[in-house]
Amino acid sequence: MTSDSVNWEAVRADFPILHQEVRGNPLIYFDSAASSQKPRQVIDALSRYYEHDNANVHRGLHELSSRATDAFEAARSKVAKFLNAASADEIIFTRGTTEGINLVAQAYGTRYVKEGDVVLLTEMEHHSNLVPWQLLAERTSATLRFVPVLEDGTLDLGKLPELLTPEVKIFSFTHISNSLGTVNPVADLCRAARAVGALSVVDAAQSAGHLPVDVQALGCDFLALSGHKMCAPTGIGALYGRAEVLEKTPPYHGGGEMIVSVSLHKSTYKEAPHRFEAGTPNIAGAVGLGAAVDYLESIGRQNIAEHDSTLVSYAQQRMEADVPGIRIIGPRDRSGLVGFVMESAHPHDLTTYADRYGLALRGGHHCNQPLMKKFRLPGTSRASFYFYNTKEEIDRMITILQEAARFFS
């Protein structure tokens, strides 16, 4: 099946929230980089779970607990297959990308990073892939380094040889920039990290639901994703960890079913992934994530990537040609989002204006303050697309932006 053969109109019909009016206008939802909408198939999976199978997992000796455990672990297997992990044991359920990166920084980083070591990041990281490493550096007296971002929004990879030295113990970077839409050469970066003995951590918040992601092909050690950005509920995500690395990573949180035995003064812990899932997990969220994986696979991520590409190219072309005073930030080749500034309007004002017409954009620094500072911007407006969006919605956005340009001038 190719992108052209997908019935995108039928796919869009799966999303009940999209078929409503906002402020008297048809809703146009261009904020999927912040959180995607949910198809009926995921909503129904959540309802079925709560109506028929709701119970705690891994601890009950009754039928409902058995069903809940089976559904929870089936979701783990689906995520593992989705990422081409070698085993479901390499998938840890988290609340999202932020918690996944914090887990690596606190559990692995605190144990293995010491004073004099270096954590390498890039200047395009959003706060979730920046603040955890700042906290690690404060705890361990390690140093942070950054791969610069060029004016065109791509990484200055020519600087990598002088930055990625043997002192670097962890190289953590985003797959797709949430502000610029830049798609980084992840496999090359992982290979470079491995060459100096550094651990690679991939922030896949903006990529996992938009294009094929194969952790074995990428060669990464860790990869974190958020379910709510790929059609699953909020509060659920996953962290992939290569088995050999997980084996030597200590627990992150303590309590609940992550133990083998407990005495008053000492505990022993289960193997991964259960060692990292203290307390009652987000069972319904995991079931929803599994349903989202099924749904995305039924469409095909390559088809989704091609549809994203078609929409973003069309949006760029129309914005540059038909909206006065617009400047697009980031590279020409990008993922399915466009960050831009309008000369006459602050991003917050423009986003508020668009909302009057039912157009949901994002305005601000996008949890990316250092990058905004580098580009000498208070923030940007961002239109982020997903497979349920259409060219007709982009045409409507262009009309609203044209009216905004006249209004603010």
Side-chain angles (χ1 to χ4, degrees):
M1 185 169 67
T2 65
S3 175
D4 291 339
S5 65
V6 176
N7 185 342
W8 295 107
E9 189 175 338
V11 168
R12 180 179 169 85
D14 289 334
F15 292 79
I17 200 171
L18 297 178
H19 308 287
Q20 62 171 302
E21 290 192 344
V22 171
R23 304 187 190 282
N25 297 278
L27 169 66
I28 303 172
Y29 188 78
F30 284 171
D31 196 20
S32 293
S35 193
S36 73
Q37 297 301 345
K38 322 305 176 194
R40 173 62 66 191
Q41 290 82 346
V42 170
I43 298 169
D44 288 347
L46 290 171
S47 296
R48 276 196 306 275
Y49 170 74
Y50 278 123
E51 290 175 359
H52 299 285
D53 303 328
N54 179 50
N56 215 326
V57 294
H58 297 143
R59 63 189 70 178
L61 298 176
H62 54 80
E63 172 65 16
L64 291 192
S65 179
S66 177
R67 285 189 216 158
T69 301
D70 288 347
F72 184 72
E73 293 302 330
R76 193 191 308 276
S77 296
K78 290 177 183 179
V79 175
K81 186 177 179 184
F82 187 71
L83 297 176
N84 195 31
S87 163
D89 291 341
E90 294 182 321
I91 302 299
I92 301 161
F93 284 123
T94 65
R95 288 181 296 169
T97 301
T98 300
E99 186 176 53
I101 294 172
N102 272 281
L103 191 161
V104 178
Q106 292 198 29
Y108 183 93
T110 302
R111 172 66 66 88
Y112 297 108
V113 174
K114 62 184 187 303
E115 184 175 0
D117 289 341
V118 173
V119 176
L120 182 62
L121 308 170
T122 83
E123 289 182 340
M124 68 171 65
E125 302 310 320
H126 67 151
H127 300 168
S128 292
N129 197 25
L130 177 59
V131 179
W133 305 113
Q134 292 175 344
L135 293 171
L136 174 65
E138 290 174 5
R139 289 195 302 274
T140 63
S141 297
T143 301
L144 301 182
R145 286 181 190 162
F146 299 91
V147 180
V149 173
L150 298 167
E151 283 299 312
D152 69 356
T154 62
L155 292 176
D156 186 356
L157 295 178
K159 297 282 189 184
L160 203 58
E162 65 186 80
L163 295 170
L164 189 53
T165 60
E167 291 77 24
V168 175
K169 302 306 175 189
I170 296 174
F171 184 16
S172 186
F173 48 85
T174 187
H175 192 168
I176 294 177
S177 165
N178 72 324
S179 297
L180 304 172
T182 310
V183 183
N184 287 322
V186 173
D188 293 341
L189 298 180
C190 291
R191 191 178 306 112
R194 197 162 51 247
V196 298
L199 197 82
S200 55
V201 182
V202 179
D203 173 352
Q206 299 296 340
S207 62
H210 289 263
L211 47 81
V213 173
D214 181 332
V215 291
Q216 295 191 69
L218 295 178
C220 58
D221 293 300
F222 286 105
L223 181 141
L225 62 84
S226 294
H228 73 99
K229 296 179 190 289
M230 46 177 279
C231 298
T234 53
I236 186 69
L239 175 69
Y240 158 80
R242 195 162 56 81
E244 292 81 358
V245 181
L246 288 181
E247 284 175 6
K248 61 180 184 180
T249 303
Y252 171 45
H253 291 149
E257 286 294 300
M258 47 80 74
I259 53 86
V260 172
S261 65
V262 176
S263 67
L264 288 179
H265 295 285
K266 187 173 175 58
S267 300
T268 58
Y269 309 111
K270 290 181 176 177
E271 298 295 319
H274 304 292
R275 182 163 72 241
F276 304 102
E277 295 177 353
T280 296
N282 183 354
I283 306 163
V287 170
L289 179 57
V293 165
D294 287 342
Y295 184 77
L296 295 175
E297 293 286 56
S298 72
I299 299 171
R301 275 178 290 169
Q302 186 57 44
N303 294 330
I304 292 171
E306 290 173 11
H307 191 68
D308 279 1
S309 179
T310 299
L311 291 179
V312 79
S313 297
Y314 183 68
Q316 283 187 107
Q317 175 192 340
R318 289 229 50 201
M319 291 169 76
E320 290 172 342
D322 300 325
V323 184
I326 285 276
R327 178 162 62 97
I328 294 175
I329 310 298
R332 192 74 199 167
D333 294 326
R334 59 176 65 226
S335 68
L337 64 89
V338 181
F340 62 96
V341 292
M342 179 177 281
E343 291 176 359
S344 55
H346 188 281
H348 286 169
D349 295 332
L350 179 60
T351 303
T352 303
Y353 182 90
D355 181 59
R356 292 166 52 185
Y357 297 92
L359 170 59
L361 298 175
R362 187 82 161 190
H365 55 64
H366 314 294
C367 298
N368 229 171
Q369 290 184 9
L371 188 66
M372 294 296 130
K373 185 175 181 181
K374 180 179 181 67
F375 282 93
R376 301 170 295 282
L377 296 169
T380 65
S381 298
R382 183 182 71 190
S384 53
F385 313 112
Y386 211 7
F387 54 86
Y388 41 65
N389 292 126
T390 67
K391 284 186 176 179
E392 289 72 24
E393 289 180 309
I394 292 173
D395 289 338
R396 178 62 182 150
M397 177 183 74
I398 296 299
T399 300
I400 294 169
L401 293 178
Q402 289 169 334
E403 293 170 354
R406 287 192 290 271
F407 179 84
F408 288 108
S409 297

